[in-house]
């Protein structure tokens, strides 16, 4: 369109092939669009363009400025997921690599917890009984130990337990185990020696310094086994002062553990 207007202007200015339609009648003229008086104010002079030979194209005009950037369009609708592809075949297993170099030895871990004590083994065969002993057997310091008790048994394991009265410790329980079955039903006697002067006894009235106390347990339990299971002699076991025989009998739990000489003698008859 721009080229067409430009061509019209060029031809009009150069008067090439341009004519105005007029006739001999000064009052009226016939134009392409109708008859109009030449002197009328609304005279419409129509320029007729005669088409001539095309001219050479003009030079390319300068490019106009870049237009404004358009607004970003809306995101399209998400497409339908495609069908899952066919699983490929497993590849050939690769060759095993060479074994790596062994690492340095780690630091030793902490020592584990000690395991539970194993079951006690079966008792061995009994040896022949020895000759009857003389005296009252062995002695035992306060705590747990083992003493020889006579012909019916080779040894006995003894434990002593004290009881605190609020003022003093006294004998509460004596436990005995490992006696042979031959000792069952027999009485058991044990002896406690009171400390000599200048020791001041904690308990008074039943004994004094250097006195010998004898306590008697009526009967050792019987057992069908080779060894008699552990049994206890309670604090109410009857005791007597063999040094001062005129004193009345009393109980084991009336003897202070601090007053005796840390030795106990046993006798089974």
């Amino acid at each position: 369109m721009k080229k067409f207007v430009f061509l019209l202007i060029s031809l009009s200015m150069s008067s090439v092939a341009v004519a105005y339609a007029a006739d001999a009648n000064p009052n009226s003229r016939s134009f392409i669009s109708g008859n109009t008086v030449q002197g009328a104010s609304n005279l419409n002079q129509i320029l007729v363009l005669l088409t001539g030979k095309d001219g050479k194209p003009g030079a390319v005009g300068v490019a106009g400025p870049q237009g404004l950037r358009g607004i970003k369009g809306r995101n399209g609708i998400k497409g339908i997921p495609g069908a899952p592809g066919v699983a490929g075949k497993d590849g050939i297993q690769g060759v095993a690599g060479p074994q790596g170099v062994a690492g340095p030895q780690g630091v030793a871990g902490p020592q584990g917890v000690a395991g539970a004590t194993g079951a006690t083994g079966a008792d061995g065969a009994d040896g022949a009984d020895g000759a009857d002993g003389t005296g009252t057997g062995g002695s035992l310091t306060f705590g747990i130990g083992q003493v020889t008790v006579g012909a019916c048994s080779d040894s006995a394991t003894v434990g002593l337990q004290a009881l605190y009265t609020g003022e003093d410790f006294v004998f509460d329980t004596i436990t005995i185990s490992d006696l042979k079955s031959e000792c069952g039903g027999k009485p058991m006697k044990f002896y406690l020696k009171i400390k000599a002067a200048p020791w001041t006894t904690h308990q008074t009235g039943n004994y004094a310094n250097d006195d010998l106390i004898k306590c008697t347990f009526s009967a050792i339990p019987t057992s069908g086994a080779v060894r008699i299971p552990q049994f206890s002699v309670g604090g109410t076991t009857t005791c007597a002062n063999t040094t001062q025989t005129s004193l009345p009998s009393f109980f084991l739990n009336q003897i202070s553990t601090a007053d005796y000489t840390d030795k106990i003698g046993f006798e089974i008859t």
Side-chain angles (χ1 to χ4, degrees):
M1 183 65 185
K2 291 181 179 181
K3 291 182 179 181
F4 180 72
V5 173
F6 179 78
L7 181 60
L8 289 178
I9 295 174
S10 299
L11 294 176
S12 177
M13 294 181 65
S14 61
S15 300
V16 176
V18 175
Y20 294 92
D23 59 13
N25 187 358
N27 296 323
S28 175
R29 299 189 67 179
S30 178
F31 297 93
I32 295 174
S33 61
N35 295 324
T36 305
V37 179
Q38 188 175 5
S41 60
N42 60 346
L43 178 63
N44 183 17
Q45 296 182 4
I46 298 176
L47 179 63
V48 177
L49 175 64
L50 298 178
T51 304
K53 186 177 180 181
D54 293 341
K56 293 182 179 181
V60 178
V62 179
Q66 184 176 358
L68 296 176
R69 185 173 182 177
I71 300 174
K72 183 178 180 180
R74 297 175 61 184
N75 293 334
I77 300 173
K78 185 176 180 180
I80 300 173
V86 179
K89 295 181 179 179
D90 294 338
I92 300 173
Q93 183 174 358
V95 180
Q99 184 175 357
V101 179
Q105 183 175 356
V107 179
Q111 183 174 355
V113 179
T117 303
T120 304
D123 291 336
D126 295 337
D129 292 339
D132 292 342
T134 58
T136 59
S139 61
L140 176 68
T141 57
F142 190 79
I144 297 177
Q146 191 175 65
V147 294
T148 301
V149 295
C152 72
S153 184
D154 45 8
S155 63
T157 300
V158 180
L160 303 177
Q161 294 181 354
L163 173 67
Y164 184 62
T165 63
E167 296 179 355
D168 191 15
F169 283 97
V170 296
F171 286 97
D172 181 55
T173 306
I174 299 178
T175 58
I176 302 151
S177 59
D178 292 336
L179 289 177
K180 293 172 64 174
S181 60
E182 288 84 349
C183 295
K186 296 181 180 181
M188 179 181 225
K189 300 174 185 178
F190 45 96
Y191 299 83
L192 297 92
K193 180 72 172 179
I194 303 301
K195 292 180 180 178
W199 176 263
T200 301
T201 56
H202 289 205
Q203 300 290 329
T204 60
N206 296 323
Y207 53 83
N209 296 112
D210 265 336
D211 285 352
L212 180 64
I213 309 300
K214 179 178 70 174
C215 301
T216 303
F217 181 67
S218 59
I220 298 171
T222 58
S223 174
V226 176
R227 297 282 178 175
I228 298 174
Q230 178 178 292
F231 63 95
S232 299
V233 177
T236 57
T237 300
T238 303
C239 300
N241 191 326
T242 62
T243 303
Q244 301 184 63
T245 57
S246 61
L247 294 176
S249 60
F250 56 96
F251 295 133
L252 175 64
N253 58 18
Q254 292 177 307
I255 302 174
S256 172
T257 58
D259 289 344
Y260 87 117
T261 58
D262 293 335
K263 292 184 180 180
I264 298 178
F266 289 85
E267 178 183 26
I268 299 176
T269 56

